[in-house]
Amino acid sequence: MLAGVAESREALDIFRPARRRRGGSGHAATVLLVDDNRDLLRFLERLMADAGWNLVTAESAAEAKRAFDEHRPDAVLLDYMLPDGNGVELGVEFLRAVPHMLAIVMTGTILPQEEEALCEEHNFPVLRKPFLASDLMTLIRSRLSAAGGASLSACSRAK
């Protein structure tokens, strides 16, 4: 077996999709991925789709708004720096429409103090780039399954 590849069925659980929390329908959760880095977007899209997640992608804030309105995802993964906006403000906007939705902000930089404060206020985890795909999937799954229960601390950092 290759080094670093899961060798047990239990270890592969992190790649199984989270289930929708709305209505208990048993369908895989829908995740909106927003990043202007097309390579990262395609990598995450392929990985998460192969694991059974329902995915919608966008490369800008404008595209993300249209996709959000059309699909009403269970979770959004937002790059902080977008060509026409920023992921923190976009997440706040989405939360106004769907208050219990999960929003995660990705960044390769340090967030300005005001943006950090918004993350804390709205309980957005901040995922620092580079990150492991398994960390992302585990974070999404744990936050979706914890809906209505205990959740990670505000602005928690996945390592």
Side-chain angles (χ1 to χ4, degrees), residues 37 107 125 136 144:
N37 178 332
T107 184
L136 169 64
L144 286 176

Side-chain angles (χ1 to χ4, degrees), residues 7-141:
E7 294 188 24
S8 71
R9 190 171 208 133
E10 294 79 24
L12 292 174
D13 282 346
I14 61 168
F15 293 107
R16 291 194 183 108
R19 299 293 168 197
R20 276 191 188 270
R21 62 180 186 270
R22 289 186 242 140
S25 66
H27 292 91
T30 298
V31 179
L32 172 58
L33 303 172
V34 185
D35 200 310
D36 60 329
N37 178 332
R38 187 171 288 165
D39 292 334
L40 177 60
L41 192 65
R42 298 300 171 241
F43 169 75
L44 291 173
E45 179 183 29
R46 185 174 52 249
L47 179 73
M48 295 173 81
D50 286 350
W53 295 76
N54 294 320
L55 298 167
V56 180
T57 61
E59 294 182 25
S60 68
E63 283 181 32
K65 289 174 186 180
R66 285 190 297 273
F68 180 84
D69 288 341
E70 182 178 339
H71 298 280
R72 292 295 178 174
D74 300 291
V76 293
L77 179 62
L78 304 159
D79 187 27
Y80 170 64
M81 293 179 22
L82 295 167
D84 57 347
N86 83 54
V88 175
E89 292 172 4
L90 195 57
V92 170
E93 182 179 330
F94 291 164
L95 234 57
R96 285 187 188 123
V98 182
H100 300 292
M101 183 196 62
L102 168 62
I104 299 171
V105 175
M106 303 180 291
T107 184
T109 186
I110 296 189
L111 294 177
Q113 200 169 30
E114 306 81 43
E115 305 298 336
E116 281 283 346
L118 281 173
C119 284
E120 289 178 22
E121 179 183 343
H122 296 286
N123 197 25
F124 294 165
V126 176
L127 195 60
R128 304 284 179 197
K129 293 178 183 178
F131 55 82
L132 297 174
S134 61
D135 289 344
L136 169 64
M137 294 174 78
T138 299
L139 179 60
I140 294 171
R141 177 170 293 103

